[in-house]
Structure formats: C-alpha cells, structure tokens
Amino acid sequence: MSRALTWLFFCVTCVLTAAYFFVSGKDVQTRRSLEESFVGWSTELIPRPVTASKGLPLHHILPYLHGVDPAEVERRPLLLVYSFGCTGCGEGSVEEWARLLAQEREVVGVIVVLDGKERIEELKRRKGWSIPVVADDGSIARILNPAFSPQAFGFARSRLVWVQQTPGVPEARLREDFYRALR
C-alpha cells in the first residue's frame, strides 16, 4: 500500500508541475515571479507568449490607461512603454523613457508598470515624472504580452502600428523607429 501511495504522490507532483510551467508560460505575473525567485534561472525554456500584433485596436487597452486623455490619443499618436517594474535591471531604461517622453510634443507618452497604484504614485512623486505613469494589475500585460521589459508599443490612428522587437536598444533610437513607422 505504501508503494501505491508513493507512486500516486509522484504522478500528482508531475502533473501539477507540468500544469504550473504551462500556466507560467502564458501569465506575465507568474513569469515575473519565477524570474525574481530564481536569480540566474532563465525562463527561456518556457515558451514566451506572442507579443501583440500590429493592428490591435487601442480601445482594448484605453480603459486601463488611467490618467491618459482619450481625446488626446485620438488626435496624436501614443507611445506606450511597458515595464515589469521600476527597480532592477530595467530601471535605467524606464528613467530614460520618462525623460524622453516628457519632452515629446508630437506624441502622447505613457509608462505602464506592473505594480500597485500606491507604489507607482510614490515613485512618480519621488522621481518628479510629469508624464502619465499607470499601475497595471496584469490587465494590460495580458493584452500586449510584452516579451521583455521595458518594451515600447506605438499606436496611431487608434491601432498598434509599431512594436519594439529587440531589448537593449537605446531609447532615442527606438523613438526614431516609431516616428519612421508613423510615416
């Protein structure tokens, strides 16, 4: 009887582990917690979700962009930068994006961070950022499926027209790539 219980426990453990890794490949928050929990462990073995495709309607994410004027993004293109957090390896890039987007006059700039609203408000106050910084509970992440952090997404004419494909590219160059996509 003990051998049967051991075998059952082993099978249940295998099934639950497989289910966990399947879900973690689809859910951005689970992937983020795995990456933070196992420093040096790569989630590259888990298939990444496909980042949102060009043509995605802006109205899919607009209800979650608190602090962004819907009428303004109807008149001007929107450059959205999605980050899994404002601390750690992407912090410098998020800071640079905030600086660049604050200078923009031709496009609406917004930073979306997977974090709590109170923490984002405190961060925005401490850093002195003047652009909209939106706290995401995972809703926007599920729509955009960012492949890395931070990742930029460009909208024009109420549709997604440009997606940053490669991490680590200088922010100013990415902004120029977005402008080229608008032409």
Side-chain angles (χ1 to χ4, degrees):
M1 182 91 146
S2 173
R3 190 175 224 168
L5 284 176
T6 302
W7 180 248
L8 178 64
F9 177 74
F10 176 75
C11 290
V12 169
T13 302
C14 289
V15 168
L16 290 176
T17 302
Y20 178 77
F21 281 109
F22 176 77
V23 170
S24 70
K26 307 259 185 253
D27 181 57
V28 173
Q29 287 175 311
T30 305
R31 178 182 298 280
R32 180 177 176 220
S33 68
L34 272 174
E35 289 170 350
E36 288 175 354
S37 299
F38 300 102
V39 177
W41 183 72
S42 173
T43 55
E44 293 305 316
L45 299 175
I46 302 168
R48 287 210 177 267
V50 176
T51 301
S53 300
K54 291 180 185 174
L56 174 78
L58 178 60
H59 70 81
H60 284 237
I61 64 165
L62 203 51
Y64 304 106
L65 297 180
H66 306 289
V68 176
D69 181 8
E72 193 62 31
V73 294
E74 288 293 323
R75 288 191 298 273
R76 297 189 300 160
L78 170 71
L79 184 53
L80 181 150
V81 176
Y82 195 94
S83 177
F84 295 144
C86 285
T87 57
C89 55
E91 182 177 8
S93 183
V94 172
E95 292 259 355
E96 181 62 14
W97 274 118
R99 188 187 69 73
L100 286 172
L101 293 174
Q103 298 171 355
E104 284 295 334
R105 300 294 171 247
E106 296 178 33
V107 302
V108 175
V110 62
I111 294 177
V112 179
V113 182
L114 185 63
D115 210 335
K117 186 176 182 176
E118 299 80 25
R119 211 164 147 200
I120 297 304
E121 288 301 321
E122 188 274 325
L123 177 75
K124 187 177 174 183
R125 216 177 12 263
R126 188 169 36 98
K127 300 281 188 180
W129 293 344
S130 60
I131 63 166
V133 181
V134 177
D136 182 32
D137 62 0
S139 300
I140 298 171
R142 283 187 285 282
I143 296 167
L144 294 177
N145 286 326
F148 49 87
S149 174
Q151 185 174 13
F153 298 84
F155 292 84
R157 300 168 300 284
S158 298
R159 298 258 180 227
L160 181 62
V161 297
W162 175 81
V163 178
Q164 176 186 354
Q165 297 298 318
T166 309
V169 177
E171 294 77 12
R173 188 168 132 213
L174 291 169
R175 184 181 61 181
E176 293 306 315
D177 289 349
F178 174 55
Y179 280 132
R180 275 193 289 283
L182 294 176
R183 294 182 198 141

